[in-house]
Amino acid sequence: MFSSHGPSVRELAVQGLSSVERGYDLLAPKFDHTPFRTPDRMLDAVEETLAQVEGGFDAGLDVCCGTGAGIDMLRRLCRDRITGVDLSAGMLAEAGRAHADDDRVDFVRADARALPSALAQTYDLAVSFGAFGHFLPAERLTLFSGIHAALREGGVLAFPIGAPLPLGSPLWWATTGFDAAMRVRNAVWRPPFVMYYRTFPLGPVREDLRAAGFTVETLPLEHFGRRPDGAPHWRLVLARRT
């Protein structure tokens, strides 16, 4: 993260004390050189799974697209229009430069909790990667309802979700500590920077998706193996608009 191409500790500190929008505007030029960018391995695993969905997809929507890591995947999966939506103008500028050669691709600056009505019933596939920690649990139903409205009948919202971390494991402690630090930061500093790692468990997420009008299934992402109890480390959630 602290290579010559990535942000410095000082830059990350400034970004972390900013709002979500301003923080990502500042981070945008170096975002693809950080661990925060969705790894190609994850994108490849999701693409391989979605490519097997019967009928394929015409139009695709990347919700909270950032610098556009998922856009190339959508270009291969979808036959027609591809749209990336993000709150950060800086991230969208980077995404626009990276995909300026494809007239099928467009970008829209918007809050994912309030997608523009012009996008309604436009897409067959919506995806999102690594962004749901920016939304509080109470905001999930609004978020999912907006994506539901953007999809055509039968359209699919797809996103990866990890298995619960083993209690007491190093990663469990790291994510728990990070979330605790963010709660303290947001209690004493304004504007808030909403980013939590442990607020998106599968059970409540499934309930909110169903409440928003989706039917829900999950498929194992076998690229990432399985836990000792046989459960996959990662699943792909497929929420279909009915």
Side-chain angles (χ1 to χ4, degrees), residues 139-217:
E139 299 172 320
R140 279 199 304 257
L141 182 55
T142 298
L143 173 68
F144 292 154
S145 296
I147 298 172
H148 183 277
L151 291 168
R152 297 176 178 135
E153 185 175 350
V156 172
L157 165 62
F159 55 87
I161 191 166
L165 297 172
L167 291 176
S169 67
L171 192 53
W172 183 88
W173 280 112
T175 56
T176 300
F178 179 90
D179 284 5
M182 289 302 295
R183 293 184 190 282
V184 172
R185 179 255 187 243
N186 289 332
V188 302
W189 189 268
R190 292 291 184 273
F193 190 98
V194 176
M195 178 62 220
Y196 300 108
Y197 283 104
R198 302 183 65 246
T199 57
F200 203 73
L202 178 58
V205 166
R206 183 188 282 117
E207 292 176 6
D208 287 338
L209 285 167
R210 288 171 175 165
F214 290 99
T215 60
V216 184
E217 64 174 314

Side-chain angles (χ1 to χ4, degrees), residues 14-186:
V14 171
Q15 291 150 14
L17 294 174
S18 305
S19 66
V20 174
E21 179 182 352
R22 178 59 177 159
Y24 276 106
D25 283 347
L26 294 169
L27 183 59
K30 298 182 178 180
F31 182 81
D32 286 348
H33 300 286
T34 73
F36 306 132
R37 180 191 183 275
T38 303
D40 289 337
R41 184 185 178 200
M42 177 62 75
L43 295 170
D44 292 343
V46 171
E47 180 178 351
E48 181 177 309
T49 304
L50 289 175
Q52 300 172 29
V53 174
E54 184 177 355
F57 309 100
D58 289 328
L61 175 68
D62 190 346
V63 181
C64 303
C65 66
T67 55
I71 295 296
D72 283 337
M73 182 194 75
L74 289 178
R75 290 169 67 184
R76 292 187 291 271
L77 287 170
C78 300
R79 293 177 284 265
D80 297 323
R81 178 185 180 187
I82 309 298
T83 300
V85 173
D86 203 277
L87 181 63
S88 166
M91 299 289 269
L92 289 175
E94 296 295 321
R97 280 190 284 270
H99 299 92
D101 61 342
D102 192 339
D103 58 11
R104 292 192 304 148
V105 178
D106 67 289
F107 293 97
V108 176
R109 182 173 176 269
D111 189 324
R113 295 164 296 188
L115 294 175
S117 58
L119 303 184
Q121 298 187 46
T122 300
Y123 302 96
D124 307 287
L125 172 63
V127 298
S128 191
F129 295 96
F132 290 139
H134 293 302
F135 302 98
L136 298 173
E139 299 172 320
R140 279 199 304 257
L141 182 55
T142 298
L143 173 68
F144 292 154
S145 296
I147 298 172
H148 183 277
L151 291 168
R152 297 176 178 135
E153 185 175 350
V156 172
L157 165 62
F159 55 87
I161 191 166
L165 297 172
L167 291 176
S169 67
L171 192 53
W172 183 88
W173 280 112
T175 56
T176 300
F178 179 90
D179 284 5
M182 289 302 295
R183 293 184 190 282
V184 172
R185 179 255 187 243
N186 289 332

